[in-house]
Amino acid sequence: MRVLIITLATLFTNFVYGQTNNIIPKPAFADDLPGGFTLRESEVIRLEPGDSLQRAVATQFLHRLAASGFGSMRVSNQNGRIIFTKDSSLPPEAYRLRVDPSGIELTASSFGGYFYALQSLWQLSSDLRLYDSVSRKKYTPFFKSCSISDQPRFGYRGIMLDAARHFFPVWYVKKLLRVMSFYKYNRFHWHLTDDQGWRIEIKKYPLLTAVGATRKETAKGYYSFHEFDGQPYSGYYTQEQIREVVAYAKQLNIEVIPEIEMPGHSLAAIAAYPALSCDPSPTEVKTTWGVETNILCPTKYTFRFLEDVLTEVMALFPSRYIHVGGDEAPKLAWQKSAFCQSLIKEKGLKDEHELQSYFIKHIDSFLTSKGRRLIGWDEILEGGLSAGATVMSWRGTKGGIEAAKMKHDVIMSPYTYCYLDYAQGYMMDEPLSYRDMLPLDSVYAFDPVPATLAPDERRFIKGVQGNLWSEYVSGPTAADYQLFPRALALAENGWSEQKSYPDFLRRLKYHFGVLAKQGIKASTAYYDVQYEVKRRSMGKYFLSLKSKDSSLLIRYSDQVNAKSPQWQYYKSPIALSENSFIQVQPVSNSGAIMGKLTSRVFETSLLTGLPYQAEDVSKRYNGGSDYGLTNGIRGQIDNEFTWVAIGTDNLQFSIDAREQISPEQIQINFLKWQSGGILLPTQLKIEVSADGKTYRTVYLAPLENRLYPAKYIYTVSVDNPGTFRYLKVFGKNYGKLDTNYYNQSNRSSIWLDEVFVK
Ligand code: TNX
């Protein structure tokens, strides 16, 4: 309860509700004016006679108020102080909004414009009850006076939801659409088919859902560890449900773009109709993630199938764009197929890439003949881009730049800025997410128009999209966490010309409250604290703590298991002893809890905090730090991000202790995790040197992986290694994996942590 009161208190002291400077995405022009307008049930909404767009938006205005507990108001063509005005000179989606004590005026030329005027108006309300359809208590909404004139930077502002890897129920899709529209998104890209599931009912091919919508189990944790839950997983949308979603989205000014993947990412369809593959032997819906080599074969049968499917799809989705995927289609199966090879000859194609282009062009002309436009991932550029195609650039902005130079429309969605399945904070502290990091500030920093484009090429950049791939997003709660608040940063990238990150963060604090009212538990990972151990001199180690939000205070405690620990406020680096437990909580000025409580155990030794040189180290692990081996945090068997992962080469690292030391022991810990292809080095050598020139071998021994359990921490210890300054370690990689082991690259990797010299 105390926490709650403090939280509310900070909200009220830090924010003035209803000011234009709280709106996300930031409007083009906005002025706050004195006073405001109190809405009463006696007010009347005035519409221009016969304007169905105004009427549609006014109806939503009334519904939202009614749902939140406010009574009903009248609509009239003659009088009223809530006025809808048409101004045909305004571009699509642009609007003006004026609030003053005498009334409210919403001006636009389009449905989108009126709709967005209304969304800004909601954000101007002084009362969060507007978002509340639960309490339904009578209240009187108040809107602060202002004048706004606004329009979007881009016409396409999208979110993609991958409903194939995990299925999202219709209620969740609708909720997402509602929240998207509140932040002025206007495209919903629905990824409906993939290797792991076919999720749209197709009447002509019932096996697509009878077979293709179910996989027999799902990978637990990262699929590279090859561990499964043993539970069948299914789900699909009926055509009825799809119509319902499309109609619902339309009221929110959102166009729904379906994606039917081809020729890759199609194993669920192939499992249902094996004749679609170049290899017609029976197969199953995929249970791991990643890129599948069994792809659609460009036969007459396949094209007929796809045209039939797309015909049903087009009947359900009135969108201009139809997304056909096109990404990650390995050409191996086509290389091996006699049919494909003779097709390549017959059509005079150069290679399998031109065959992919032939495939996409075939589908493009089919879609174009039906008045639609093809959109695909940037791989559709390979082997020649189809005439009318729009490119969705995901592998960085390169594909987008290339397409824009060829005068093709482009939607920017590079994984470097727009992949909302990536972790948003230090992976050691985050829930399961894709094994890469994309923090909020990186998303916000994205400018969809590459500076390298000439002015006349820039107009081909039609917009921006955030992608929520769902391998590691198991359902609605996880989806909310991954989407928010990063989707708000992206909304601003799509809408606003003027951006400022500090100002966005200030507004975001208000919107956390708005999101919570809508039942969304957004991530606050950007508050989280980074721990860093620095060495001042031999034996003296200091821990510094830092949050990316510099307005926060950090409190910490070294008490383990205390019910209410004694907190101290962090001011300067904390001296560490040989074994230190510390828990850390970011808080606001007034002591309100902000973000996660995290903790660490530090074990210092003579090399703690010293940099080391090693090759082929994965920066994703151990907080991405260069001190992973010496950061004082021991690798833990249940947290893979506490380890330092070396690639598939031999291990080789060296550390300079900066002075002569005579330790009692050198200790190095290695991880074996057989199912992930993480194996102990087959031979290990440890050398030391006083001058960095001549080395003494203090340890040299082979290691037999088969002697140890499948998941195991192996510790190498060397007692009394003598006096030295430099330490060098070599580990021989197991190398190519045989059938007892598994991982994607088929080569083992070495993981270790931590190096202790005591
Ligand atoms: C690549 S983006 C993919 C997806 C994965 C995603 C994971 C794209 C066109 N293909 O199949 O889900 O990475 O981030």
Side-chain angles (χ1 to χ4, degrees), residues 263-389:
H265 285 288
S266 299
L267 197 63
I270 292 173
Y273 296 96
L276 292 168
S277 167
C278 296
D279 169 7
S281 47
T283 183
E284 289 183 340
V285 180
K286 197 174 171 84
T287 56
T288 55
W289 318 123
V291 177
E292 169 60 43
T293 51
N294 192 351
I295 66 174
L296 300 178
C297 208
T299 57
K300 285 212 171 69
Y301 172 75
T302 297
F303 286 129
R304 161 93 61 75
F305 166 86
L306 289 172
E307 287 170 11
D308 289 343
V309 166
L310 290 172
T311 301
E312 290 193 34
V313 166
M314 285 186 287
L316 295 169
F317 296 91
S319 60
R320 195 164 86 104
Y321 282 131
I322 302 290
H323 203 301
V324 301
D327 60 309
E328 298 182 326
K331 302 298 179 297
L332 193 74
W334 290 358
Q335 280 157 10
K336 289 198 304 203
S337 146
F339 169 80
C340 292
Q341 292 308 313
S342 71
L343 187 62
I344 286 175
K345 280 213 194 80
E346 180 197 321
K347 301 286 172 197
L349 305 171
K350 205 170 77 212
D351 55 13
E352 292 76 21
H353 294 291
E354 288 201 355
L355 184 55
Q356 155 125 359
S357 162
Y358 165 84
F359 193 116
I360 299 293
K361 280 177 182 158
H362 182 108
I363 299 296
D364 190 7
S365 47
F366 175 73
L367 292 174
T368 306
S369 75
K370 307 287 178 210
R372 305 303 181 97
R373 292 197 55 187
L374 178 144
I375 183 165
W377 301 110
D378 55 55
E379 284 94 332
I380 65 171
L381 280 156
E382 292 165 9
L385 187 56
S386 186

Side-chain angles (χ1 to χ4, degrees), residues 612-614 629 651-655 668 727-729 752 755:
Y612 53 85
Q613 282 75 49
L629 290 178
L651 166 71
Q652 202 171 90
F653 74 88
S654 56
I655 308 181
I668 308 174
L727 173 75
K728 248 189 195 176
V729 177
L752 69 160
V755 178

Side-chain angles (χ1 to χ4, degrees), residues 394-397 413-419 422 437-438 442-443 446:
W394 76 276
R395 295 174 301 173
T397 51
S413 191
Y415 65 86
T416 40
Y417 295 100
C418 299
Y419 270 39
Y422 290 8
M437 196 166 148
L438 183 64
S442 304
V443 175
F446 184 46

Side-chain angles (χ1 to χ4, degrees), residues 19-79:
Q19 291 203 156
T20 55
N21 67 8
N22 280 330
I23 295 176
I24 293 179
K26 184 143 201 79
F29 300 98
D31 267 331
D32 291 299
L33 301 170
F37 183 75
T38 305
L39 195 65
R40 301 195 192 282
E41 287 168 23
S42 53
E43 294 297 340
V44 176
I45 300 182
R46 192 177 89 198
L47 305 177
E48 290 168 328
D51 192 318
S52 60
L53 304 179
Q54 294 181 355
R55 180 164 287 273
V57 175
T59 306
Q60 291 193 33
F61 185 93
L62 293 172
H63 281 169
R64 163 73 70 94
L65 287 167
S68 69
F70 187 78
S72 53
M73 290 185 299
R74 221 158 43 78
V75 176
S76 152
N77 286 331
Q78 272 93 46
N79 51 39

Side-chain angles (χ1 to χ4, degrees), residues 162 165 191 194 261 265 290 327-328 377 379 394 419 421-422 434 467 469-471:
D162 169 5
R165 274 59 175 271
H191 186 78
D194 214 300
E261 272 268 21
H265 285 288
D327 60 309
E328 298 182 326
W377 301 110
E379 284 94 332
W394 76 276
Y419 270 39
D421 54 331
Y422 290 8
Y434 190 85
N467 293 337
W469 298 103
S470 64
E471 290 97 324

